[in-house]
Amino acid sequence: MKVLKFGGTSVANAQNIKLVLDIVLNKAKQDKLIVVVSAFTKVTDLLVLASQKAASNDESFKEVVAKIEKNHLDAIKELIPVSEQSGSLSHIKRIINHLETLLDGCFLLGELSPRTSDTILSFGELLSSYIIAEAFKQHDKNSGYKDSRELIKTNNNFGKAAVNFEITNPLISDYFTSNEAQIVIMPGFIASTTDGIGTTLGRGGSDYSAAILAGALDATELEIWTDVNGMFTANPKIVKQAQPIATISYQEAMELSHFGAKVLYPPTIQPVLRKNIPILIKNTFEPEAEGTYISNQDISHANPVKGISHIDSITLITLEGPGMIGVAGSSKRLFEVLSHESINVIFITQASSEHSICIGILNVDADNAENAINKAFANEIAQNKIDPCIVEKNLCIIALVGENMKNHQGLSGRMFSTLGKNNVNIRAIAQGASERNISAVINERDVKKALNTLHENFFEENTKQLNLFVMGVGNVGEKFIEQISQQKKFLKDNLKINLRVVAVSNSRKMYFDEEGIPLKEWKSLLENGEKADKEGFIAKVKSLNLRNSIFVDITANQEVSETYQHYLKQNVAVVTCNKIACSSGYENYNNLKQLSQKYNAPFLFETNVGAGLPIIDTLKHLIASGDKVNKIQAVLSGSLNFIFNNFDENNSFHDVVQEAGVQGFTEPDPKIDLSGVDVARKILILIRESGYKMAIEDIKNNSFLPKECMDTTNNDDFFKSLIANADHFENLLAEAKAKESRLKFVATFENGKAGVGLEFIPKESPFYNLEGKDNIVQFFTDRYVDQPLLIKGAGAGAAVTASGIFADVIRVGNI
Ligand code: ADP
Ligand code: ASP
Ligand code: MG
């Protein structure tokens, strides 16, 4: 004998019921079967709605009933041949009339008692089980039907009645000993008191009905047929990467379901556990999938954590005050109050000082609990011995579950550091002595992020998802996205990094896709995106609240640089090639660095100096290992280097500057490069990263541009001024020739002083042979005294800058 239970989605309509028929008829060839069915999907919710409407004098309950009626009549019409339909149709109509009469009663009285509510809710299973039994008769004339209310007996705790097994078990076994039918259909969820008054076993209780039957009959197996491939490592609707668990122990399954894995109603395990009857969870829509096998054997030791589950809508109530210490029985009194109010306590922690006790209950019970507790402790509160209880609503419990967790050190550390890294604030923690679960209370808005990041850490071979929000998709931005697109697979396979671009924006438009933008189409998607809005962008990043989020600034825009603080405060990392923030006022630079530390959000800007060259990263390592930078000498402008390397008798200064712009080697406004401002910013950033406090005004700028060029206010005028001042530039060139030297724009920091300017570089200098758009930087430090540490290579260009940004993104991934 086996008991099979089919849930709401499995019997949602005629089409699904046909799948159920196939599964059952096939299995009935080997075994006698009891088939327990739920109400059609959502019907119990509709019954709740209709009864609430009726009790509040809202006539639209009739529309809800009409909808329920139509669903069931439609199913009959598809499942039963026309010639035989009339009896079934009129039976359904009779049941619906009865339901309507009850609802009319509620409407007239303006009242809904728990007892009436249970009677009304029972109609879902009565309707579904009748129709399914009729459908079975079409295939197996001897298939039977039994109303569970006649066999499952409970107390009168309406809404969630407790089963009286002493009466129930013999009723069930007596009935089935004399029953010959190979298949018997029964409604789940419903039962009755010994006086015959209808009760229900609690929402989701059809699983329990099936388990009660299986337990009473010593069934060989209990099969729970639902809409997913078993019990998953986390709720598959929230964690896309969740996987079905092949085998799991009763205790683990009970723990997971207790902490919110809705696939199994928590009390279900008890009746079968006692008899050692295995439970198999299967998918009606994918019957060939293996499913989950729950038993007391085969406890897999592969991963000490079996699953992660969560309960929404939690309230924490804290009772504290000096009066709690040493006074025996405060907690006893607290729990008595709650028990008296029938409030279920889901979570408890108590400080060892006994100074405070904290409990987790459902939001719906919060007001009731608060009033009752404050009333019970009114005396102590009046004498200031205990504070009125502190109530925090809209929280959520997340729990790691696994039988074998107790044998592994460091799991809770790993759990909390994973949450901490993602800025998930933990409000309370509990770990049972059995260590079958470690649970934490967090804010409801963080639940998706928390579950996903924990799942990633404990189940996905440490694959880390990075979510990028890219602002600025010009030359460099486009290259950056291209590089991601090329490297995506490599990163996933080799570095276990799953890189997703979740948002792109330019100055006109922005586009978001929570699942990751398909990179082949980003341009057209962006073109059709919403209007760009920096505030809106911040708000969206915040509301998506994705784990490992990174804001990537590939603009040269001041306003964008002013938004970094908002990201860092949300624990969103910032990667930027925009130099403005790091070369702005020292306070601002320092504040961003502090925020980065405080909120555990990396702030990386390697490309601010030398494009993709690892200059800042090297500097960081020098400083971190205790070295001290005493002197820096550098050619830091790829643009100026390109310009002075190409400026000769055959190419005018103006033409070379123009060419540099076309090739993307200058800033959009070339004056920023030629005036020396850009180089001043870069050396300032290196000085600051070396640990010195300095401002841009402290950097002496010996500009080689004539005043007329400096005074221009737009690109056109600037280029004209370069033509007008051609003599000035040619003289510089001639002087360099005469001195057998080359022109280089050099930045220097020594003895606490810094400056930038054009210099005549003699042949012996390592700067003399600097080619094309290369950069070079020499660090003289306590360790590198005579021979400096030297970094040299291409220091401008879209591709190398993009790769520098990329490297920063990967650095975030590795932190
Ligand atoms: P039924 O109507 O078949 O009883 P339920 O809706 O009660 O189905 O339970 C199945 C649902 O439970 C799944 O669709 C899934 O959304 C949810 N669920 C939550 N946590 C888990 C989990 N850990 N594993 C599987 N399903 C889960
Ligand atoms: N139909 C009931 C409910 O929705 C019982 C069940 O589906 O298990 O809660
Ligand atoms: Mg269910």
Side-chain angles (χ1 to χ4, degrees):
M1 165 84 77
K2 282 187 178 173
V3 181
L4 276 58
K5 176 259 170 177
F6 291 86
T9 335
S10 305
V11 297
N13 48 42
Q15 200 187 346
N16 295 0
I17 292 172
K18 285 179 188 163
L19 300 176
V20 172
L21 290 172
D22 279 350
I23 294 166
V24 172
L25 292 169
N26 220 345
K27 284 189 172 271
K29 291 177 195 150
Q30 278 113 40
D31 285 297
K32 273 191 148 192
L33 303 178
I34 299 176
V35 178
V36 176
V37 295
S38 288
F40 288 10
T41 189
K42 301 274 164 28
V43 166
T44 314
D45 292 339
L46 290 175
L47 289 165
V48 171
L49 181 70
S51 51
Q52 282 167 350
K53 279 178 181 251
S56 52
N57 288 96
D58 176 351
E59 247 181 319
S60 65
F61 76 84
K62 293 195 171 138
E63 290 159 29
V64 181
V65 175
K67 189 171 171 199
I68 297 176
E69 180 175 9
K70 181 172 182 312
N71 279 354
H72 292 90
L73 293 178
D74 284 352
I76 294 267
K77 287 177 196 157
E78 266 194 67
L79 291 166
I80 315 251
V82 183
S83 55
E84 296 166 41
Q85 271 174 19
S86 65
S88 305
L89 290 175
S90 53
H91 186 82
I92 294 292
K93 290 208 161 151
R94 269 200 305 280
I95 301 183
I96 293 285
N97 281 344
H98 184 187
L99 169 65
E100 216 156 27
T101 312
L102 284 167
L103 289 166
D104 276 335
C106 294
F107 181 80
L108 291 172
L109 293 167
E111 190 201 66
L112 176 70
S113 69
R115 174 175 162 174
T116 311
S117 171
D118 264 10
T119 307
I120 292 173
L121 295 200
S122 69
F123 280 76
E125 269 70 10
L126 289 176
L127 286 162
S128 68
S129 59
Y130 169 75
I131 293 172
I132 293 162
E134 290 301 301
F136 269 103
K137 279 194 199 137
Q138 300 299 317
H139 302 270
D140 173 4
K141 292 241 165 335
N142 295 324
S143 63
Y145 175 84
K146 183 68 181 167
D147 186 337
S148 317
R149 291 175 298 185
E150 294 167 23
L151 301 182
I152 301 180
K153 294 294 168 185
T154 66
N155 67 6
N156 63 359
N157 183 17
F158 298 104
K160 197 176 182 180
V163 175
N164 182 331
F165 284 94
E166 275 172 25
I167 304 177
T168 300
N169 284 345
L171 280 175
I172 295 174
S173 61
D174 288 352
Y175 175 77
F176 282 97
T177 334
S178 56
N179 189 298
E180 296 287 301
Q182 189 71 1
I183 302 171
V184 176
I185 314 301
M186 296 181 71
F189 182 52
I190 61 177
S192 72
T193 63
T194 41
D195 306 334
I197 299 162
T199 55
T200 64
L201 301 176
R203 293 302 308 271
S206 294
D207 299 341
Y208 190 32
S209 308
I212 295 163
L213 291 159
L217 293 169
D218 274 322
T220 50
E221 192 166 79
L222 166 63
E223 296 185 3
I224 304 284
W225 288 79
T226 181
D227 57 359
V228 284
N229 283 347
M231 195 162 219
F232 278 61
T233 46
N235 185 342
K237 300 244 162 77
I238 305 181
V239 179
K240 294 250 153 51
Q241 312 297 330
Q243 293 291 326
I245 304 166
T247 59
I248 186 168
S249 73
Y250 287 125
Q251 278 77 11
E252 288 169 325
M254 196 140 60
E255 210 79 13
L256 276 176
S257 71
H258 174 75
F259 279 102
K262 186 183 168 224
V263 66
L264 201 65
Y265 184 54
T268 306
I269 311 272
Q270 277 308 333
V272 289
L273 179 142
R274 264 187 249 133
K275 299 279 180 74
N276 227 339
I277 301 166
I279 307 176
L280 186 59
I281 302 185
K282 294 279 286 178
N283 188 350
T284 306
F285 307 94
E286 224 181 297
E288 62 288 352
E290 206 183 324
T292 297
Y293 190 75
I294 308 174
S295 71
N296 68 354
Q297 312 140 12
D298 188 0
I299 296 162
S300 153
H301 290 268
N303 187 345
V305 182
K306 269 295 169 63
I308 307 166
S309 53
H310 75 287
I311 315 176
D312 289 324
S313 308
I314 292 289
T315 293
L316 269 190
I317 296 201
T318 309
L319 193 62
E320 62 184 15
M324 298 280 290
I325 306 170
V327 180
S330 301
S331 26
K332 177 169 172 269
R333 273 171 65 203
L334 175 65
F335 289 110
E336 266 168 10
V337 175
L338 295 167
S339 152
H340 191 252
E341 298 296 318
S342 301
I343 292 169
N344 187 19
V345 177
I346 304 169
F347 181 98
I348 308 167
T349 60
Q350 180 167 26
S352 59
S353 66
E354 268 191 64
H355 179 74
S356 88
I357 181 160
C358 173
I359 52 155
I361 57 175
L362 289 175
N363 278 345
V364 288
D365 292 328
D367 295 342
N368 192 5
E370 182 180 13
N371 292 335
I373 296 170
N374 285 343
K375 207 164 137 200
F377 288 88
N379 272 341
E380 287 89 339
I381 293 173
Q383 294 167 26
N384 287 331
K385 286 186 181 157
I386 290 182
D387 303 331
C389 59
I390 306 164
V391 179
E392 293 164 272
K393 290 188 182 167
N394 300 329
L395 301 169
C396 167
I397 300 177
I398 43 172
L400 286 193
V401 171
E403 190 86 59
N404 211 17
M405 293 200 314
K406 55 182 167 294
N407 300 325
H408 286 75
Q409 298 86 346
L411 291 175
S412 40
R414 194 163 145 202
M415 173 178 181
F416 299 128
S417 73
T418 307
L419 293 174
K421 274 188 195 153
N422 272 282
N423 208 25
V424 175
N425 190 20
I426 296 169
R427 299 287 307 105
I429 298 168
Q431 175 169 2
S434 71
E435 233 193 272
R436 207 169 280 135
N437 85 70
I438 308 170
S439 41
V441 178
I442 62 170
N443 214 307
E444 216 160 53
R445 67 177 281 271
D446 287 330
V447 69
K448 189 171 170 197
K449 182 161 81 173
L451 288 175
N452 277 284
T453 190
L454 287 175
H455 194 271
E456 197 168 75
N457 194 291
F458 285 97
F459 292 101
E460 295 169 36
E461 290 179 1
N462 282 332
T463 297
K464 195 167 185 180
Q465 185 182 90
L466 300 183
N467 293 299
L468 306 189
F469 298 82
V470 181
M471 188 165 283
V473 279
N475 253 349
V476 177
E478 197 174 330
K479 274 271 167 339
F480 175 60
I481 296 183
E482 206 176 287
Q483 291 178 1
I484 295 180
S485 192
Q486 280 164 6
Q487 280 304 98
K488 222 171 147 39
K489 191 171 174 320
F490 175 87
L491 292 176
K492 207 167 188 171
D493 296 347
N494 295 283
L495 299 185
K496 303 272 178 240
I497 287 179
N498 178 13
L499 205 55
R500 309 190 316 160
V501 178
V502 177
V504 283
S505 175
N506 55 24
S507 54
R508 291 174 298 108
K509 298 274 176 142
M510 58 186 196
Y511 180 76
F512 286 80
D513 182 344
E514 191 181 345
E515 299 306 324
I517 297 172
L519 294 182
K520 288 203 172 65
E521 297 162 43
W522 73 267
K523 281 188 188 163
S524 58
L525 292 167
L526 177 61
E527 225 17 72
N528 296 313
E530 52 191 308
K531 194 169 171 298
D533 159 23
K534 289 184 194 70
E535 299 299 317
F537 199 89
I538 297 171
K540 188 79 195 236
V541 175
K542 189 172 168 187
S543 75
L544 282 175
N545 197 15
L546 297 174
R547 65 193 184 280
N548 308 321
S549 292
I550 308 175
F551 175 70
V552 186
D553 176 10
I554 318 185
T555 72
N557 184 294
Q558 165 105 23
E559 283 171 29
V560 177
S561 77
E562 284 164 6
T563 62
Y564 299 166
Q565 51 167 321
H566 302 294
Y567 294 105
L568 295 172
K569 282 179 190 166
Q570 289 301 319
N571 173 248
V572 173
V574 173
V575 166
T576 178
C577 64
N578 181 348
K579 289 178 261 304
I580 297 178
C582 287
S583 57
S584 63
Y586 185 81
E587 284 307 310
N588 187 44
Y589 159 82
N590 197 37
N591 181 40
L592 292 172
K593 304 252 336 172
Q594 303 277 334
L595 288 176
S596 160
Q597 280 204 338
K598 179 169 173 196
Y599 292 95
N600 206 358
F603 172 41
L604 299 179
F605 41 86
E606 180 62 83
T607 46
N608 276 196
V609 182
L613 295 176
I615 299 175
I616 295 180
D617 200 46
T618 307
L619 190 51
K620 266 191 193 150
H621 287 124
L622 284 181
I623 305 295
S625 65
D627 205 353
K628 179 168 176 282
V629 176
N630 301 314
K631 177 177 163 189
I632 304 171
Q633 262 188 330
V635 173
L636 293 174
S637 172
S639 346
L640 286 175
N641 213 33
F642 176 88
I643 290 165
F644 285 112
N645 278 342
N646 287 285
F647 173 36
D648 57 21
E649 291 75 12
N650 305 321
N651 298 292
S652 75
F653 193 73
H654 165 275
D655 290 356
V656 176
V657 174
Q658 203 161 44
E659 179 59 19
V662 169
Q663 295 212 25
F665 300 151
T666 61
E667 295 283 322
D669 171 1
K671 205 167 78 179
I672 294 185
D673 290 307
L674 278 98
S675 64
V677 168
D678 186 62
V679 176
R681 284 176 176 169
K682 288 174 176 166
I683 188 79
L684 175 67
I685 295 170
L686 292 185
I687 295 167
R688 285 177 169 176
E689 290 292 298
S690 302
Y692 298 93
K693 185 174 172 180
M694 201 178 259
I696 193 84
E697 299 76 30
D698 302 329
I699 307 217
K700 197 163 175 327
N701 186 348
N702 305 311
S703 175
F704 64 92
L705 281 185
K707 186 168 179 323
E708 192 195 331
C709 305
M710 287 297 274
D711 289 345
T712 55
T713 52
N714 60 55
N715 278 3
D716 271 358
D717 288 351
F718 179 70
F719 276 104
K720 279 184 199 143
S721 79
L722 294 184
I723 296 177
N725 287 279
D727 281 358
H728 167 80
F729 301 113
E730 269 145 33
N731 287 342
L732 286 173
L733 192 64
E735 193 180 342
K737 268 221 153 120
K739 290 183 172 162
E740 290 194 345
S741 60
R742 285 184 177 164
L743 289 168
K744 302 281 169 200
F745 197 82
V746 179
T748 316
F749 167 71
E750 193 171 8
N751 297 327
K753 290 204 166 44
V756 299
L758 201 59
E759 291 183 14
F760 297 97
I761 302 292
K763 273 205 174 80
E764 335 46 272
S765 163
F767 291 4
Y768 185 84
N769 282 320
L770 206 58
E771 302 292 332
K773 52 195 186 317
D774 284 3
N775 277 194
I776 184 166
V777 53
Q778 304 191 110
F779 290 113
F780 296 84
T781 71
D782 282 356
R783 289 184 200 139
Y784 294 91
V785 184
D786 301 323
Q787 284 302 317
L789 174 76
L790 190 147
I791 301 166
K792 180 180 165 189
V800 281
T801 308
S803 70
I805 299 170
F806 205 144
D808 269 350
V809 165
I810 302 302
R811 276 183 197 113
V812 176
N814 288 333
I815 287 174

